[in-house]
Amino acid sequence: MADQSESEWAREVGPPAPDSLLDLYYWLQLTREVERVLANLYRQNKVIGGLYRSLGQEAGAVGTAYALRRRADGTGDVLSPAIRDLGAMLMMGAAPADIMKQYMARGDGPTGGRETNVHFSDYGKGYVGLISHLGVMVGVMAGVALSFKVRGEDRVALVYSGDGMTSTGGFHEGLNLAAVQRLPLVVVVENNGYAYSTPTSKQTAAAAFTDKADGYGIRGERVDGNDVLEVWAASRRAVEHARAGGGPTLLELVTYRRLGHAEHDSQPYVPAGEVSEWEARDPVDRYERWLLETGGMEAGELERVRERVREEVAEARSVAESSPMPEPRSGVDGVYAHERGWIPWTRGGLEDPDEA
Ligand SMILES: Cc1ncc(C[n+]2csc(CCOP(=O)(O)OP(=O)(O)O)c2C)c(N)n1
Ligand SMILES: [Mg+2]
């Protein structure tokens, strides 16, 4: 692992304020509840395409995004989620109703029914939707970080990768560029034990993903990905290192994917007992215990947060479920980046029906 002791950035994060503690709890609960409702919609056949859940690893998305400057006006930090980072998108400002519309391919959802799950962007809020080809978003986000550096903007980019994604060429090219150019990029490796059915032991021969940080000449840090406070503290160190011009960090979160790759996968390849071992390390339960035993919170305060989350998500669900499916005609819009989608010279003299 790269040495973390020598620079200023290694200073410890001070004790979090009570507001932040409850805020983190809110985001963890919101992520879990939105995904619970999505699973319910999936079983009712209302979700188009796959549903990839982050059950048991919510602390990773939440703890990392909490370290960023989240602004809605296009001046904040920017992240690119992988499929299990719904929590990070919510924190950057994606509305639960929009997420549900997107999963249900509704006409007034973020992509108007063209794409599904977390494949959408909002540059103002600071998230860049991933494309399916694993690894390439590291290069894209290295480019975003390069633009910050060239323009002299005090902004940081963060990109999520699964353990499987680290085995792609795109991951290495992107990370190497970021390292060489000392770009303000945080690369979060969510080591959740599996890439579809392939265990991490068959993904890499290294003992830890952070061992690779030395090979790139960058900072590496490995933390318990199911401890939201630890993830937040490590993320702040990585973000401050990037802001100070120190270049990228490879931040490895050790966690576990408690469900199959997607809802259709009953994970028959997982050894008996493994899931229940990790259930005992559930990040939300653990944080709840910490809040009550160490964080000075009352049970009633936590219940009020859960109640607020239940209400917000139920409201989002009813908005999303009553939203329309796309107009069939809209399928030809935007194909060639034409603002009205009507490209007269491609249709041999047909008239624009809107003009007829
Ligand atoms: C280049 C490429 N290869 C294969 C796939 C198919 N695929 C999608 S997700 C996935 C597993 C990803 O595993 P990991 O990176 O560990 O993320 P996790 O699902 O565990 O969060 C695979 C193989 C793809 N999308 N892109
Ligand atoms: Mg994985």
Side-chain angles (χ1 to χ4, degrees):
M1 213 184 277
D3 183 13
Q4 295 157 16
S5 59
E6 48 194 44
S7 335
E8 278 174 30
W9 47 256
R11 73 181 170 70
E12 274 310 308
V13 173
D19 281 359
S20 305
L21 292 177
L22 273 186
D23 212 19
L24 279 171
Y25 185 64
Y26 167 81
W27 292 116
L28 287 172
Q29 288 289 350
L30 185 72
T31 308
R32 187 161 283 193
E33 181 64 4
V34 170
E35 288 193 6
R36 188 188 69 77
V37 166
L38 284 170
N40 192 269
L41 293 168
Y42 181 89
R43 293 199 179 94
Q44 295 178 358
N45 265 335
K46 291 175 182 163
V47 166
I48 312 291
L51 172 60
Y52 309 87
R53 291 170 67 186
S54 66
L55 184 79
Q57 47 181 101
E58 296 93 337
V62 168
T64 46
Y66 207 62
L68 297 179
R69 282 185 194 146
R70 292 173 286 134
R71 295 182 185 153
D73 61 0
T75 64
D77 297 332
V78 174
L79 62 77
S80 178
I83 44 177
R84 283 174 232 290
D85 300 307
L86 178 72
M89 289 180 79
L90 289 166
M91 292 178 69
M92 298 305 282
D98 279 344
I99 303 259
M100 291 180 200
K101 288 179 190 178
Q102 172 78 356
Y103 268 96
M104 293 192 286
R106 297 303 168 112
D108 62 348
T111 59
R114 284 175 176 71
E115 253 290 9
T116 54
N117 64 71
V118 291
H119 293 247
F120 67 102
S121 305
D122 187 322
Y123 300 134
K125 289 178 178 151
Y127 54 87
V128 180
L130 79 161
I131 63 159
S132 283
H133 308 72
L134 297 177
V136 293
M137 293 311 290
V138 180
V140 170
M141 295 307 286
V144 169
L146 180 61
S147 78
F148 295 159
K149 187 175 171 180
V150 168
R151 293 182 200 149
E153 292 177 351
D154 179 22
R155 301 168 74 186
V156 169
L158 183 148
V159 62
Y160 295 93
S161 165
D163 40 283
M165 202 191 286
T166 65
S167 300
T168 64
F171 177 90
H172 293 278
E173 289 166 19
L175 188 49
N176 193 55
L177 174 73
V180 169
Q181 297 288 337
R182 300 197 84 69
L183 301 178
L185 181 70
V186 180
V187 179
V188 178
V189 175
E190 299 170 309
N191 177 2
N192 64 0
Y194 291 90
Y196 218 129
S197 56
T198 306
T200 304
S201 58
K202 291 194 176 154
Q203 202 66 247
T204 178
F209 285 103
T210 39
D211 288 352
K212 301 184 183 202
D214 280 341
Y216 292 106
I218 62 167
R219 198 179 159 249
E221 187 168 356
R222 186 177 206 240
V223 294
D224 178 347
N226 284 20
D227 180 336
V228 72
L229 293 176
E230 214 184 300
V231 174
W232 180 34
S235 304
R236 276 185 55 179
R237 287 190 287 269
V239 166
E240 283 167 19
H241 180 63
R243 266 193 227 296
T249 293
L250 192 161
L251 174 61
E252 178 177 354
L253 309 179
V254 181
T255 183
Y256 186 78
R257 196 193 73 197
R258 293 231 302 272
L259 298 171
H261 175 66
E263 287 297 288
H264 64 268
D265 172 18
S266 57
Q267 55 188 153
Y269 46 84
V270 168
E274 198 177 82
V275 172
S276 53
E277 255 174 53
W278 281 88
E279 255 163 23
R281 295 181 229 173
D282 181 82
V284 181
D285 293 350
R286 264 173 77 177
Y287 186 49
E288 211 164 281
R289 277 199 300 277
W290 185 92
L291 287 172
L292 294 171
E293 289 164 17
T294 313
M297 297 288 163
E298 302 287 330
E301 290 174 281
L302 303 189
E303 178 48 33
R304 275 195 294 283
V305 171
R306 290 195 296 270
E307 186 56 34
R308 180 181 151 208
V309 164
R310 280 193 292 269
E311 280 170 16
E312 285 176 8
V313 177
E315 168 66 17
R317 178 185 187 148
S318 77
V319 169
E321 286 208 76
S322 55
S323 69
M325 292 307 279
E327 286 295 327
R329 169 79 174 70
S330 72
V332 297
D333 289 348
V335 175
Y336 293 102
H338 184 275
E339 68 171 2
R340 295 169 57 231
W342 183 251
I343 316 286
W345 56 90
T346 65
R347 302 297 297 268
L350 283 179
E351 280 178 24
D352 182 341
D354 291 342
E355 301 293 329

